[in-house]
Amino acid sequence: MNKYSQHLAVLQAQCEAALALCGFDALAIASGVEKYAFLDDRPYLFQPNPHFKHWLPLGAHPHSWLLVRPGHKLRVVYYQADDYWHVPPSDPSGAWTEHVELIVISRPEDAAAHLAVPGRLAIIGEADAALPGVLPNNPPQLLNRLHYQRAYKTDYELLHLRAASRRAVPAHRAAAAAFAAGASELEIHRAYLAASGHTDRDLPYGNIVALNEHGAVLHYQHQDALAPTQSRSLLIDAGAQVEGYASDITRTWSAGDTEFDGLLAAMESLQLALVDEVRAGVDYRDIHLSAHRRVATVLRDVGLVNLSIDAMTAQRVTAIFFPHGIGHLLGLQVHDVGGFMADASGALSPKPDGHPYLRLTRPLAAGMVVTIEPGLYFIPTLLRQLRASPAAAAVNWPLVEHLRQFGGVRIEDDVVCRAEGPPENLTRDAFGLV
Ligand code: GLY
Ligand code: MN
Ligand code: MN
């Protein structure tokens, strides 16, 4: 069996078990619909239902449907508009077509007849995907089970996640070269796109391309067309997609500065140590808490804060400099679903007290793909809080002032947890290839 048919068999078995447990006879999944701007005829960027692209490598196919029934082949209702304004989806092709029952329709409403099966039907989709007699019901218990399972990637999925890192890494290299040549954020972004072969519309998330102080904005959303007079640092958080699977990679580059380069080197070691903590059975929350202790050590070692590690975590000094989670599940979605599930029934696994931005609280297991993305930033609004706190006296404010010009550091890799031993680092492996 090839990897795709193995993947389909796994999904079919999981789905059949979940349907039986939840009292359904079949599952229909809508690919989704295009949405239009208010009072306008321009559609927003189409975002496929991730449940749909879990089964099929089709990410630009609105108005299509899947039907999963125990003991039957997967039915694909493939919408191919007869349209001369836009390019319709091409004729169905690719290895997936050999594994499914394929029905091609040219009008969205024609899907309904092919989804009408006896028994109780679960329907996963956005409300706008509804057809007469086919109203998405999104049963929570069924969704819980599917979301829980999605964290464990099949070999087919790992193949695409590996490829998504390999696609992004040459683009990160091109961005670093553009930064070294004094390019603007917009020019760096374009260099990234050119090298990845993606357009803006293909990216798994909007590129974060932040020069100098902009690196302190966690989700900096602009791309200045003019280069600053001096480019001191670049923080670039950018991914790529392969068959609907994303990479999510951050690198921070320096134009050369003793203090900033020292901080960068310390964060590089810290990040690698955290990646090495990704092991089967480890509670991901412990990696997040370990990151705080390690950030405290960096703050002390580079001379930013003169307090003990315990005092820094207890007084929440590390949260000033590292105010986000250590990472998240990665897959069909950049922030993949199911990060807080204690089990498949939907019980939740809480975040540690005082850590509201952590997106993953599950124990790690073989086949899970997570990001490890520690950061250390100089964020004006949080530094103001620090100045007003008792810990202020222990802070080297002249060094903070100097490092503020560089914004911050984030280093983010995509990592596969293995059954035993150290993890597979998709991102570092891809950097090793170029
Ligand atoms: N690129 C968003 C994140 O790193 O989570
Ligand atoms: Mn990222
Ligand atoms: Mn991330």
Side-chain angles (χ1 to χ4, degrees), residues 46-403:
F46 173 66
Q47 299 292 342
N49 175 356
H51 287 275
F52 183 87
K53 58 175 189 161
H54 202 191
W55 294 81
L56 294 176
L58 302 178
H61 294 71
H63 303 297
S64 287
W65 290 80
L66 293 180
L67 183 68
V68 187
R69 286 165 298 169
H72 287 76
K73 249 188 180 181
L74 180 68
R75 176 177 289 176
V76 179
V77 183
Y78 188 95
Y79 173 65
Q80 198 179 26
D82 186 9
D83 183 2
Y84 60 86
W85 291 95
H86 306 100
V87 179
S90 52
D91 290 340
S93 66
W96 65 269
T97 54
E98 292 161 25
H99 301 274
V100 305
E101 177 201 1
L102 188 59
I103 295 164
V104 178
I105 57 170
S106 61
R107 298 182 311 165
E109 60 272 27
D110 291 346
H114 302 290
L115 303 171
V117 288
R120 282 191 70 198
L121 184 62
I123 305 169
I124 297 178
E126 58 202 309
D128 291 343
L131 296 172
V134 189
L135 298 179
N137 49 14
N138 296 309
Q141 283 310 316
L142 182 71
L143 285 176
N144 283 337
R145 287 185 161 73
L146 301 181
H147 287 171
Y148 185 78
Q149 297 289 356
R150 232 171 75 196
Y152 310 106
K153 269 59 182 181
T154 62
D155 288 347
Y156 165 83
E157 295 182 288
L158 292 177
L159 207 69
H160 294 323
L161 285 159
R162 242 172 240 129
S165 260
R166 283 203 300 268
R167 184 165 190 173
V169 160
H172 271 272
R173 289 236 176 260
F179 161 66
S184 69
E185 291 168 350
L186 182 57
E187 289 162 340
I188 294 168
H189 173 65
R190 287 187 181 139
Y192 185 95
L193 291 179
S196 66
H198 276 329
T199 70
D200 273 294
R201 300 170 65 84
D202 307 320
L203 293 171
Y205 56 94
N207 279 355
I208 297 168
V209 184
L211 288 171
N212 303 341
E213 290 87 346
H214 294 162
V217 183
L218 298 182
H219 283 173
Y220 175 68
Q221 73 275 38
H222 300 303
Q223 282 144 13
D224 280 355
L226 281 182
T229 34
Q230 192 195 13
S231 289
R232 295 178 286 272
S233 58
L234 168 67
L235 187 159
I236 174 162
D237 183 342
Q241 289 206 73
V242 173
E243 303 288 31
Y245 288 87
S247 54
D248 178 10
I249 297 171
T250 308
R251 287 295 182 266
T252 307
W253 307 99
S254 164
D257 174 88
T258 307
E259 282 76 24
F260 187 63
D261 291 355
L263 178 63
L264 205 48
M267 290 301 289
E268 173 81 2
S269 309
L270 172 153
Q271 196 266 357
L272 286 169
L274 290 168
V275 166
D276 199 53
E277 292 183 24
V278 173
R279 308 273 172 144
V282 167
D283 186 329
Y284 192 80
R285 291 174 292 199
D286 289 336
I287 301 182
H288 177 77
L289 297 175
S290 166
H292 274 270
R293 284 190 301 279
R294 291 181 189 275
V295 165
T297 307
V298 168
L299 289 170
R300 193 195 54 200
D301 291 351
V302 303
L304 273 164
V305 182
N306 186 20
L307 284 174
S308 72
I309 308 309
D310 287 344
M312 269 193 258
T313 51
Q315 295 178 41
R316 309 210 34 77
V317 174
T318 54
I320 297 286
F321 292 96
F322 171 46
H324 59 72
I326 190 59
H328 48 85
L329 292 169
L330 175 74
L332 290 163
Q333 293 167 284
V334 176
H335 296 157
D336 225 5
V337 287
F340 303 117
M341 303 184 75
D343 59 38
S345 80
L348 293 179
S349 175
K351 299 175 198 183
D353 279 344
H355 295 271
Y357 299 117
L358 184 59
R359 288 192 174 99
L360 175 55
T361 57
R362 284 170 70 163
L364 295 172
M368 279 188 171
V369 180
V370 299
T371 68
I372 294 291
E373 50 180 304
L376 199 161
Y377 313 86
F378 301 91
I379 301 173
T381 183
L382 298 182
L383 291 173
R384 276 195 289 278
Q385 288 178 22
L386 182 61
R387 256 193 203 281
S389 78
V395 175
N396 179 344
W397 290 105
L399 184 54
V400 169
E401 265 320 295
H402 175 71
L403 288 171

Side-chain angles (χ1 to χ4, degrees), residues 404-422:
R404 250 163 63 109
Q405 314 169 80
F406 301 86
V409 177
R410 178 162 68 252
I411 302 168
E412 176 176 27
D413 289 344
D414 305 341
V415 176
V416 186
C417 182
R418 291 188 169 122
E420 276 172 27

